[in-house]
């Protein structure tokens, strides 16, 4: 089997590894330091980040859920290694949507994800299990959408935003998208019916700013 480097040793990295296996790749996990490597007990190969460039002939993905850490790793290695997309075979796509996503870098699309059509996605995003992204949505770079979230049509999700598990974001108006600001966190189970400001935390039904 072909090999694929996965930054991280946590649950997100191992879930990315499951997708890699489904796509015909053998994952090599990448620990940040020796302490992290010493705690690795999963039945798969793991190496130190310090040794990454010795494997530069294989593709890589970042299996780390924290958006800022993913961005920092990209800035560190983007000119030295090749970043790959992981797309689970069970994910489904509207017309021409998959080909658009395959042109990106560092995307993780987990099992059961559904994209409809006319969706613009940035690089290095994570779409976790059973996420639905409806029509005319924009997702900027380094966004993480957690399991079971539903993003209705005509929504714009800003850079590095985190959308918690089971979140519902209602549809934007016909001529104006519902915006989620840059670096905003939407708590699990939140129902968003109005735009959310940048650098804020929202939770509740309906969503209210709590930080």
């Amino acid at each position: 089997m072909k090999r694929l480097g996965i930054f991280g040793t946590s649950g997100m990295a191992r879930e990315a590894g499951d997708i890699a296996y489904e796509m015909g790749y053998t994952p090599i996990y990448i620990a940040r330091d020796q302490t992290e490597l010493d705690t690795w007990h999963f039945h798969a190969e793991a190496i130190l980040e310090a040794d990454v460039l010795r494997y530069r002939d294989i593709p890589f993905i970042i299996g780390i859920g924290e958006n800022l850490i993913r961005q920092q790793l990209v800035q560190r290695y983007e000119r030295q290694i090749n970043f790959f997309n992981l797309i689970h075979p069970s994910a489904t796509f509207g017309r021409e949507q998959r080909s658009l996503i395959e042109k990106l870098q560092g995307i993780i699309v987990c099992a059961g994800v559904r994209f409809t059509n006319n969706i613009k996605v940035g690089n290095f995003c994570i779409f976790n299990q059973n996420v639905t992204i409806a029509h005319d949505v924009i997702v900027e770079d380094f966004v993480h959408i957690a399991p079971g979230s539903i993003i209705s049509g005509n929504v714009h999700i800003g850079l590095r935003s985190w959308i918690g598990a089971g979140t519902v974001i209602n549809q934007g108006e016909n001529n104006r998208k519902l915006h989620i600001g840059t670096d905003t966190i939407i708590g699990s189970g939140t129902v968003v019916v109005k735009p959310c400001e940048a650098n804020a935390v929202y939770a509740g039904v309906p969503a209210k700013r709590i930080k």
Side-chain angles (χ1 to χ4, degrees):
M1 296 176 74
K2 298 170 287 185
R3 297 187 299 173
L4 172 73
I6 299 178
F7 286 90
T9 59
S10 66
M12 185 70 242
R14 287 182 273 115
E15 290 175 353
D18 289 343
I19 304 172
Y21 281 119
E22 291 289 335
M23 295 175 63
Y25 287 84
T26 298
I28 300 173
Y29 297 90
I30 302 164
R32 179 181 62 254
D33 52 32
Q34 189 63 50
T35 300
E36 185 174 305
L37 187 62
D38 289 342
T39 64
W40 178 252
H41 302 298
F42 199 59
H43 297 294
E45 182 180 358
I47 64 171
L48 285 170
E49 185 182 330
D51 296 324
V52 159
L53 297 184
R54 294 169 54 189
Y55 294 79
R56 68 174 74 205
D57 60 323
I58 68 173
F60 289 85
I61 194 78
I62 304 176
I64 297 173
E66 294 183 44
N67 298 332
L68 183 58
I69 293 178
R70 286 204 311 286
Q71 186 176 35
Q72 291 169 342
L73 284 168
V74 170
Q75 292 169 344
R76 191 178 307 161
Y77 292 108
E78 62 184 337
R79 297 183 181 180
Q80 302 178 78
I81 62 177
N82 176 40
F83 287 105
F84 190 64
N85 296 320
L86 283 181
I87 301 176
H88 195 279
S90 68
T92 60
F93 301 86
R95 181 174 174 81
E96 299 181 351
Q97 193 64 57
R98 179 168 186 142
S99 63
L100 292 174
I101 289 175
E102 287 176 340
K103 294 176 182 177
L104 301 170
Q105 283 186 302
I107 300 295
I108 298 178
V109 179
C110 296
V113 172
R114 170 62 175 162
F115 288 87
T116 63
N117 58 68
N118 197 34
I119 299 163
K120 297 179 180 178
V121 175
N123 294 307
F124 301 98
C125 293
I126 296 176
F127 300 92
N128 227 308
Q129 293 94 341
N130 300 313
V131 163
T132 298
I133 311 291
H135 62 89
D136 304 305
V137 166
I138 297 173
V139 181
E140 295 190 25
D141 295 343
F142 301 104
V143 166
H144 186 155
I145 302 180
S149 296
I150 299 173
I151 314 302
S152 301
N154 213 24
V155 169
H156 186 148
I157 300 177
L159 179 71
R160 289 185 304 271
S161 290
W162 176 287
I163 310 301
T167 292
V168 176
I169 301 180
N170 279 9
Q171 182 162 319
E173 299 175 3
N174 289 334
N175 297 318
R176 184 167 57 183
K177 294 187 184 300
L178 190 156
H179 277 257
I180 306 297
T182 297
D183 291 311
T184 289
I185 297 173
I186 307 297
S188 296
T190 298
V191 176
V192 178
V193 298
K194 296 180 180 179
C196 296
E197 297 174 349
N199 301 294
V201 179
Y202 287 80
V205 181
K208 294 183 180 179
R209 182 169 181 170
I210 61 172
K211 187 176 179 180

